[in-house]
Amino acid sequence: MTRFGYGRLLEFLFSAALLGVLTLILHYVFSEPHKPEPKPRPVLAACNKVSPLLVGPRAPKLSSPPSLEEIQNKSAPLSPGGLYSPPNCRAQHSTAIVIPFRDRASHLRTFLNHIHPFLQRQQIEYRIYVADQWGQDTFNRGKLLNVGVQEALRDGNWTCIITHDVDLLPEDDRNMYSCDSNNPTHLSVAVDKFNYKLPYPSILGGVVAIAPDLFKKMNGYSNKFWGWGGEDDDFSTRASLCGMKLVRPPTAFARYKMIVHKRDKGNAPNPNRMNLLKQTRKNWQSDGLNSLKYKLLSKKLEALYTNLTVDIGGT
Ligand code: UDH
Ligand code: MN
């Protein structure tokens, strides 16, 4: 090789080395500062099958509920939207509670005041959703429940959904707010309004716990029951058409008080409900979650619950 050739080679090697050093410097200057490894969160042990915090029967306070702020101030810490996880153990159930609602502010305060401590004693993870019907059209409980469940399922992988009238207060925390994996559970078995007796065997109104996949299998509730009555019996028929049975916890603790109330404006008994109930078998697969249409006007993460204001249209 000629002198000239060595010179070029040395020049080349020198430039390459320089480029390497420059790259290293640039990398050092512009790369992200070294972050310390995040501390792993302590892994909590699973909560006990039977919560040690249960107290059994405890009479709910039915009248003059505190303000939302007072309820919040005395509550254990909740995440926005009314989400709770037990602080000291890993919950075995995660339950979304969905309430059909319109214009029952004082019932809601009575309910929240009672239900948060009740559920916390059960050591479950839960969140409360209020499906609030916007406007003055006839009330539609089934459709509101469909909306609430669908929206709740967007937020989390709940192991359990509980559809819950706002005026029913559980009297005994042994009545677990969790789901059976194969069948819906009728939780409000014994209600004071019905002298703590089941009015008829197929009843599935009030408070019902159902696993999300079963709710989907039943195509949710019918959207067609405008006004009072029928949607709960239709729901019961859907369960039986899907080959499910109703689970009922013992009446010794599946007990509720209903806040005494008059019939609401906009929720008169539906004169067509018996007719509709004759058509459940024909319609259930095309009327329900898969035909649900609504406008979600707002979703507000309140301190004690998630409020969904929804335009579900009218009859
Ligand atoms: N609901 C509302 N707002 C309404 C209507 C109904 O929030 O305007 C919700 C609420 O969650 C309620 C549920 O729908 O708990 C069921 O309605 P309801 O309480 O009227 O049903 P219930 O079976 O009706 O209690 C019985 C009629 C009461 C008349 C009693 C007269 N003695
Ligand atoms: Mn009621």
Side-chain angles (χ1 to χ4, degrees):
M1 189 165 301
T2 62
R3 269 173 63 89
F4 179 74
Y6 280 123
R8 288 300 291 264
L9 182 65
L10 279 172
E11 214 173 87
F12 173 76
L13 288 173
F14 181 73
S15 327
L18 199 65
L19 198 69
V21 170
L22 268 174
T23 316
L24 273 173
I25 291 172
L26 285 175
H27 179 80
Y28 184 77
V29 171
F30 288 107
S31 65
E32 293 263 309
H34 182 70
K35 285 196 196 119
E37 289 283 310
K39 270 201 197 121
R41 271 162 38 101
V43 181
L44 294 176
C47 299
N48 290 346
K49 221 166 172 161
V50 178
S51 165
L53 307 179
L54 298 183
V55 298
R58 178 172 284 186
K61 186 175 180 300
L62 291 167
S63 57
S64 36
S67 69
L68 289 174
E69 211 181 349
E70 285 165 332
I71 301 171
Q72 186 192 344
N73 287 342
K74 64 178 180 172
S75 166
L78 298 167
S79 300
L83 171 69
Y84 177 82
S85 291
N88 300 322
C89 60
R90 183 163 34 81
Q92 296 299 288
H93 309 282
S94 69
T95 297
I97 293 166
V98 180
I99 299 166
F101 186 83
R102 183 166 69 184
D103 203 16
R104 295 258 195 127
S106 82
H107 289 191
L108 183 60
R109 279 185 281 126
T110 301
F111 178 77
L112 293 168
N113 187 43
H114 181 69
I115 208 77
H116 277 294
F118 174 95
L119 295 170
Q120 287 161 17
R121 293 199 298 275
Q122 296 193 341
Q123 295 192 315
I124 62 171
E125 177 176 72
Y126 68 85
R127 178 164 171 180
I128 295 171
Y129 290 87
V130 172
D132 184 3
Q133 182 171 341
W134 172 86
Q136 304 303 315
D137 277 305
T138 307
F139 194 71
N140 187 328
R141 181 176 177 273
K143 192 165 182 185
L144 284 172
L145 290 173
N146 281 343
V147 172
V149 171
Q150 183 153 305
E151 291 297 327
L153 291 176
R154 279 185 209 281
D155 287 338
N157 277 328
W158 308 108
T159 56
C160 185
I161 298 285
I162 295 190
T163 61
H164 206 307
D165 281 359
V166 73
D167 54 17
L168 286 173
L169 305 168
E171 296 184 31
D172 191 313
D173 55 19
R174 289 171 294 173
N175 199 16
M176 281 302 295
Y177 274 37
S178 60
C179 279
D180 180 273
S181 30
N182 302 311
N183 300 294
T185 306
H186 185 221
L187 289 172
S188 52
V189 183
V191 180
D192 64 346
K193 186 181 149 101
F194 307 121
N195 300 316
Y196 294 108
K197 293 207 175 72
L198 200 65
Y200 51 97
S202 68
I203 193 170
L204 195 54
V207 186
V208 175
I210 180 160
D213 57 329
L214 302 184
F215 190 82
K216 289 179 193 157
K217 193 170 170 194
M218 286 164 63
N219 199 16
Y221 280 85
S222 166
N223 299 308
K224 293 186 175 174
F225 287 80
W226 298 91
W228 183 88
E231 83 296 338
D232 48 352
D233 294 328
D234 174 275
F235 193 62
S236 181
T237 305
R238 286 171 186 241
S240 107
L241 290 169
C242 291
M244 300 173 203
K245 301 230 172 330
L246 307 184
V247 176
R248 289 211 175 86
T251 50
F253 54 78
R255 293 165 62 87
Y256 285 77
K257 287 215 186 319
M258 190 189 287
I259 303 170
V260 176
H261 65 87
K262 298 200 185 71
R263 205 178 286 286
D264 305 85
K265 256 202 313 230
N267 197 28
N270 175 3
N272 194 34
R273 65 184 190 280
M274 292 307 168
N275 249 332
L276 284 168
L277 279 171
K278 287 185 193 140
Q279 299 169 42
T280 306
R281 181 188 284 273
K282 180 160 69 83
N283 287 344
W284 74 274
Q285 290 173 91
S286 58
D287 164 27
L289 276 183
N290 68 0
S291 63
L292 179 63
K293 290 198 175 63
Y294 62 93
K295 278 198 213 95
L296 184 61
L297 301 180
S298 78
K299 175 177 181 178
K300 285 207 180 111
L301 274 57
E302 306 287 357
L304 297 166
Y305 62 98
T306 299
N307 195 86
L308 307 163
T309 301
V310 54
D311 178 358
I312 56 169
T315 38

